[in-house]
Amino acid sequence: MRSVVVTGPGKVEMLEVDTPTIGPKDVLVRMRASGICGSDAMYIAVGGIPPHQGATRLGHEPAGEICEVGDEVTGLAVGDHVVFDTMAFTDGLLGSGGAQGGLSEYVVVHDAQPGRQVRVIPSDVPWEVAALNEPMAVARHAVNRLELAPGAKVVVFGAGPIGLGAVLSAKALGAEHVVVVDIQPNRLETALKVGADAVVNSAEEDIKARLIELHGTAGPSFLRDARPDTDGYVDAAGVPSVIETILGMVKHRAVVSVPAVHKEPVPVDLGRILMTEVDIRLAMGYPTEIFEVTDDIIANVDKYRQIVSDVVPYDRALEGITLAATPGAADKVVIVME
């Protein structure tokens, strides 16, 4: 079978490798799609992940179809469409340094249990949408970190895939009003299509003033200036200016969730924000959310489909990886294996 493999620093190839075989407790899955994540570019840049440095198989946003089932497996059948918990594989993280990767033609799930490594989904969910399950779980965790009360007001900075997923999760979890901030008009249009209540182009508008207009003014506190009555902020952009902007306008005891990967240090003046008593929470992965988000994807396929900007066939997987790594070229690339 074919597999997309990081073979050295800056080198990624599609190689012929052995097709996996299954035991009585395993299932074999024919891979049907895998999204490309920004971390894939990082894996390529550094030459892979130990203990598979120089031989790291990519693909950690997968969806597939079960094609073989071990005799002792229950609850799973040939033909089932499935999404994955890539962190629950017994042979390492799927596509992130483990023995296997979702950008392979086949993957074996050892000791397979429904609800542990795999979740069955309806067969009418398009593969490119099913492959969003993993990144949308990342977004759901970021929103869960806000611990939103019903009717909360939320602002999401960054209308990339994680930011858009945060919009969908915030609405699914009962947020009353969700605003998205970005500088790209096309991304802001997509945010409205997936369910954002309003958008702000920070290159053209005063963010603080606009949020006060949208969310009202926060009640009395130690803070003397007018501040938006926003309950939670999500930094899905990963640039220092976003953190600076948020901390300069948060109301008393607002919550900030940061799922974004910041590639440079972010200066924070603790003296300046002391009176806000702001709660800054980092969000990494999806401790419980991988299949929490699945039902919402199934129920809102058309909205989630808006997140996918490019669908690339498997024969052109290497081109798709390059496309995803090119700044401004694409928002969300999914490789589909038909």
Side-chain angles (χ1 to χ4, degrees):
M1 72 169 186
R2 293 175 295 174
S3 182
V4 176
V5 183
V6 179
T7 56
K11 294 179 61 179
V12 59
E13 303 177 63
M14 185 178 285
L15 303 178
E16 285 290 336
V17 299
D18 292 337
T19 301
T21 57
I22 68 168
K25 298 181 179 180
D26 311 331
V27 298
L28 187 66
V29 183
R30 180 184 176 189
M31 301 311 300
R32 292 294 196 172
S34 186
I36 305 301
C37 174
S39 58
D40 291 320
M42 179 185 70
Y43 300 161
I44 295 167
V46 300
I49 306 171
H52 299 286
Q53 196 88 20
T56 297
R57 299 188 188 185
L58 293 181
H60 63 271
E61 298 182 0
E65 181 178 356
I66 294 177
C67 59
E68 190 176 346
V69 178
D71 293 339
E72 298 180 22
V73 175
T74 60
L76 298 170
V78 171
D80 282 347
H81 290 200
V82 294
V83 291
F84 299 82
D85 183 344
T86 62
M87 299 172 70
F89 275 56
T90 59
D91 56 355
L93 303 181
L94 181 69
S96 295
Q100 303 183 85
L103 278 170
S104 303
E105 292 183 291
Y106 295 92
V107 162
V108 60
V109 182
H110 298 288
D111 300 317
Q113 298 177 33
R116 182 166 174 251
Q117 309 97 334
V118 293
R119 158 80 188 267
V120 178
I121 61 172
S123 59
D124 60 352
V125 177
W127 291 117
E128 66 271 19
V129 177
L132 292 174
N133 196 91
E134 196 270 357
M136 294 304 97
V138 172
R140 174 62 64 96
H141 180 53
V143 174
N144 279 345
R145 293 285 284 151
L146 293 175
E147 296 183 312
L148 298 175
K153 301 168 187 175
V154 177
V155 175
V156 177
F157 281 79
I162 301 302
L164 296 175
V167 172
L168 284 154
S169 279
K171 297 299 285 187
L173 294 172
E176 175 187 335
H177 197 276
V178 180
V179 180
V180 174
V181 180
D182 204 299
I183 61 173
Q184 297 186 29
N186 61 315
R187 285 188 165 193
L188 294 173
E189 289 176 13
T190 302
L192 291 171
K193 290 177 182 177
V194 304
D197 296 289
V199 296
V200 177
N201 187 328
S202 56
E204 301 174 354
E205 302 177 76
D206 183 309
I207 301 173
K208 182 179 178 180
R210 181 67 174 133
L211 291 181
I212 289 175
E213 179 183 335
L214 291 166
H215 287 174
T217 303
S221 70
F222 297 118
L223 304 164
R224 296 182 179 181
D225 59 322
R227 296 191 173 218
D229 193 23
T230 302
D231 303 294
Y233 294 83
V234 177
D235 170 19
V239 293
S241 60
V242 167
I243 298 296
E244 181 181 359
T245 297
I246 292 173
L247 295 183
M249 65 180 177
V250 289
K251 71 175 184 179
H252 186 240
R253 293 188 177 174
V255 180
V256 181
S257 174
V258 186
V261 177
H262 281 264
K263 297 180 180 179
E264 55 183 278
V266 179
V268 175
D269 184 344
L270 295 179
R272 179 189 175 204
I273 64 173
L274 177 62
M275 289 190 296
T276 68
E277 294 190 327
V278 64
D279 196 340
I280 301 173
R281 303 174 181 177
L282 303 183
M284 177 70 179
Y286 36 88
T288 63
E289 292 85 358
I290 187 65
F291 299 136
E292 284 180 17
V293 75
T294 310
D295 287 333
D296 197 56
I297 294 174
I298 293 168
N300 296 285
V301 166
D302 289 340
K303 287 185 177 181
Y304 281 93
R305 195 198 307 265
Q306 299 292 331
I307 295 174
V308 180
S309 63
D310 296 84
V311 177
V312 177
Y314 188 58
D315 288 344
R316 295 171 48 212
L318 301 185
E319 296 175 40
I321 290 170
T322 299
L323 176 67
T326 303
D331 287 321
K332 187 61 183 179
V333 176
V334 178
I335 308 298
V336 173
M337 301 95 133
E338 296 291 352

